[in-house]
Amino acid sequence: MFLICVNLWLKKMEKNNFQQVGKSKIKVDGQALVTGQPVFVGDFIIPGMLWAKVLWSPHSHARIKNIDASEAEKLPGVKAVLTYKDVPRIPFTTAGQGAPEPSPYDSFILDNKVRYLGDRVAAVAAETEEIANEALKQIKVDYEILEPILDPKNSRKKNAPVIHDEKEAHMPLPLAYEPKKNICAHIDIKIGDAEKTLKESDYVIEHEYDIHYAQHTPIETHISTAYFDVHGRMVIITSTQVPFHVRRIVARSLNIPVQKIRVIKPRIGGGFGVKQEVLIEPLVAALAMKTNQAVCLKYTRSEEFISSRCRHPQVINLKTGVQKDGTFSAIDIGILQNNGAYGSHSLTILCNTGSKILPLFKCKNIIFDGDVVYTNLPVCGAYRGYGATEGYFAMGIQLDEMAEKIGVDIVEWSKKIHISVGETSPVFAALGEGVEGVEQNISSCGLDKCIELGAKEINWYQKRRKTQTGRYRRGVGMVIMMQGSSIPEIDMGAAFMKMNEDGSFNLLLGATDLGTGSDTIMSQIAAEVLGTATEKMLVYSSDTDLTPFDVGAYASSTTYLSGQAVLKTAQKIKEQIKKVAAEMLKEPVENLTVHEGKVFGKKGKATFSEIANYSLYTKHQHQIMAGESHITHKSPPPFSAHFGEVEVDTLTGKVRVIKYVAAVDCGTAINPKSAEGQTEGAVINGISYALCERYIFNKKGKMLNPNFNYYKIFSTMDLPELKTILVPTYEPTGPFGAKSVSEIGINGPCPVIANAIYDAVGVRLYKAPFTPDKVLEAIKKNGNHR
Amino acid sequence: MSNNTIYLPKNLSEALKILNNSKEKVLPLAGGTTLLLNPTEKFSYIELDGLNLDYIKSDKNNLSIGAMTTIGQLAAWPQSARYWNGLIRECTLTIASTPNRNMITAGGNIVGLRPWSALAGVLLLLDGKIITARGKNYTAKEFFSKLPKTILGKNIVTKIRIPLNDKDLIGKWKKFSLTETDYPILSMGILYKLKNKNTIENIKIVATGLTILPQRFIKTERMLKNKQLTDNIIKLLTKSLQNEAVIGADIRVAAEYKREILGAIFKDILP
Amino acid sequence: MKIETTINNQKKELNVKNYTEPLLDVLRRHGYVGTKEGCRSGQCGACVVLVNGLPVNSCIYPAGRASGKKITTIEGIGIPNKLDKIQQSYLESGAVQCGYCTPGMILCTKSLLDKNPAPTDEEIKLALDGNLCRCTGYVKIIDAVKLAAKKLKKSSHR
């Protein structure tokens, strides 16, 4: 197995002459990480810190009739036991989104009802974890067991038990919310006339697709520590993707002013969306306030599986029309989305299933309709791909079938049906993330090149539709995709810079590096603007006291949104530097150029260090500093084409991915190795999800495999040959032409593998994951084979 | 976290004495990988590390593997890739992962039958003998006829002895699982001798992962004796395997699926 | 109880709550926080340390057993501005994203290259088969090990 990266932008770079951007700079936090420095939440040990443990519900649906913590409180070493009686009854959403959040306010820090097996009942803070665990056993709970809903198809039935029957649950925005019917979100849009067009289409294909529960499995589980500083102000160090949302939501849930809270994100051990959630911070804060001591809550691995967040399972009914001449005529898509017991990210994921798929195609007749329902199952939240993963599973497979129906090669047909530069789609305006979307024209698209290079790399025409006999059969499949870059008109990021004596700069930004390398990329952007070295940047990020606001790391926005804030800030700094230099060199500003960490005039030059010293100490003393905010006005999609070759064992159903090619257009790759790394990580996660990750539930709604022993993710031994191809384009609205790259890669593997399986053994799978027993069952049912 | 009492005997006889005389429940501590997985269990342990039970010795007749030899040591031992056509190396590499193979012991693997206990299957194939501290020895067949812990009683396995007279026989081991380092959905092992290119003189067949105990397919073995491997024979033996197999519950796949694929896995390792 | 070990080539006395306390907790309590907790069941490799040169999952290793043994943690490999070649290779290859699996990966890499200075791709994958990573997809980690092997070979020829 080896990786080849085709660096086509070398030519582009020469043209643009970037010095810092477009280089695979070593991560600014790299040295700390490879030497095991204490930079994660668990490494901050505060003297006298207490350990928190949570009592989890053993029932899928129950009311707490009575809860008695008195015995637990008596245990030596126990400092606090909290039940619903001890916390404010203020509803909020745990979804880390901008306020007002488009997710229902249906969560409390602790409640008198439990809604899934693994829901929160009570919490203990004690001197050791052992004592805390002992205390949990002493809490006496009287449950009134209620009938659970364990299948989303039952949620909306008449007389179904109402999961959120509390009066406080509400939607903070005027959006559809019907908890009495167990519906936590709804969307329906119509564009053109799909009903009529379907009737007039030469071919109509309809299937139901079923995509499953999964967990992000960051190697570092959820962990938060709350303590009080010397002024008695609460500081929360937490493993989060959304520090500013944490501050706001903790303040709301405990009814304390935002001013009283500081949130710090240090290094975190992976997020992938599961930490775009204000999950445990309100509880940890409540325990800290009760005890007046530092408290740390660290999820065990099984708690991470059951009681954090998961990917949203969806049942998608997809009906598409296609003409003999290849026109993609109509789409009618109906979605039933399972949110689990609480509604975080319900509407936005549902919308994304449409908004990141439908605009890709030149199809103007669309019905998009979906309900998100509550069930008494583990709660779903943001997960890389964010609805697009589910959507491409359905659409990617259906496109393959449509191409077959009209007798064309899917690779050739894909080139004809996708949106291109200068074009728009009515879906952009109709579907955003929750509220209406934003109209936009495509201003950069390298998808054709992605398709061409990917097909070549996998050897598409030599491998496709090969007649085979024998036990092991091989096939190839592909899919085209788009995602987005940021949430336009809604999300905001800001940065601040100041200059030091030696020509170094402090760069303070709210943007959240969850291991993606955003601190490094921001440094590269700032350095490129200023004509200095990346190594001259001192980045500090994600501290609600010391860094300006940023919504956080989600919606593929860090490079495109926060990067532009950094770029604008650096530009302002550059102007100030030139102004000082002009005074020093006694030359007009127009004569000056800035590069190599110096300012050059027609008659003389000055180094950044000389300029900084002058500005701080010599004359007209002032601090060279600037801050800028940015919101985006469009969400330019990265585009990608994925190709995969599989081998199917027709006797066991085992599917092995032999080779996988991911060709992606992310505009300019600010840090190429970083962009490749994001793609590779997303792809392997996606393949693992397609083939072997799943939640196994028993009849009572208990998840039976909350551990790595039985929830399998890929190790080095499972790797296919993986090639990443970065196809450069230039997005004029992005910093140095950049778009996003971190999510799109995870959406490819499910449809690619399904299509490759069809190519290999002539069997279509509409339900994921493709475990060997399911594949074998399908092979036997469908007789086999082309 | 466990608060178990740990005994540190200086030698084997002291260990046995502790095992016999202790009033509480005492277990020998081998690799320890499962100990810390269940920290609330209220056992006491006798540390076997440091009793010189980790060695691999072979003379003309026998291979002796000390009970505290790790699976990693076994996999790295040069002859494991040679004897029985590399059966031992092939099998040991299907157990767990590199760091865990450095802790899991040969003895632990066969006494505490866990999903990853492939060595038990290999011992059935190779007619291994299990030697204990009390002097009572067991054939592999005896040892795996019931849960080994119940057969062993208050005793300690000190070594495994495998006869080397047939080390030129061809052995093969195959694990079928969801991912490469996963516990087996099922594993199969064979040890055979060919009469000529396509005819089996005799063969032994074993499977692990179907139930807790490893299984040997004696009826199917007899069926194959002196038979040529035609398509028809392979069809018949698949049926025979499926009939002979005892299959227990597994949350990952239905028993019918395991039964269905027995023949397929077997085909993978046939000559 | 107290046990005598050698950690990163220095004699060290460890305070252990009892013989079967996980080595992970003992090490972290004594300041070796580069060793990470990921699953507490020996499945993810984030807690890997070397005991007598061989990688083990410290979350399931009874600390008492470390008595008299040589332990290597990530702190013993290199420090900022004094990185060893394996650490340097990981950085140059882009093999570090969130960094949480990295100490375990680097220690397994060291154990491999100490014994096998020119490993094949298959041997590299086998050596790292117990280290889970969710960020990188492993591709650049394998690149890093190959680069480290090259760097180590170069320096041994001087």
Side-chain angles (χ1 to χ4, degrees), chain A residues 95-99 240-249 265 275-278 345 433 485-495 509-514 542 544 547-558 560-562 565 629-632:
Chain A
Q97 301 172 303
T240 183
Q241 296 172 222
V242 288
F244 286 89
H245 297 328
V246 169
R247 183 178 66 169
R248 184 188 73 248
I249 292 175
K265 172 213 78 75
K275 294 172 184 171
Q276 187 199 341
E277 204 78 16
V278 185
H345 299 274
E433 287 208 18
S485 307
S486 82
I487 306 176
E489 308 298 349
I490 292 180
D491 285 347
M492 182 266 289
L509 51 145
T512 313
D513 188 332
L514 42 149
S542 311
T544 57
T547 66
F549 182 90
D550 189 286
V551 288
Y554 56 91
S556 294
S557 50
T558 311
Y560 185 72
L561 164 66
S562 313
S629 311
H630 190 67
I631 56 170
T632 59

Side-chain angles (χ1 to χ4, degrees), chain A residues 8-37:
Chain A
L8 291 175
W9 74 81
L10 277 172
K11 295 192 190 130
K12 192 98 193 166
M13 250 189 44
E14 273 150 29
K15 200 164 97 181
N16 283 317
N17 205 23
F18 292 144
Q19 300 297 312
Q20 304 299 315
V21 158
K23 303 244 195 309
S24 293
K25 291 277 179 188
I26 288 184
K27 294 185 75 183
V28 300
D29 52 345
Q31 292 225 16
L33 294 172
V34 295
T35 56
Q37 297 303 304

Side-chain angles (χ1 to χ4, degrees), chain B residues 91 110 117-126 144 173 189 206-208 214-215:
Chain B
C91 160
I110 63 169
S117 292
L119 209 53
V122 164
L123 288 190
L124 268 186
L125 277 181
L126 298 178
F144 301 120
W173 188 268
V206 144
T208 61
Q215 287 177 39

Side-chain angles (χ1 to χ4, degrees), chain C residues 111-123:
Chain C
S111 176
L112 168 72
L113 294 178
D114 279 352
K115 290 189 200 62
N116 182 355
T120 61
D121 278 17
E122 294 312 312
E123 286 166 334

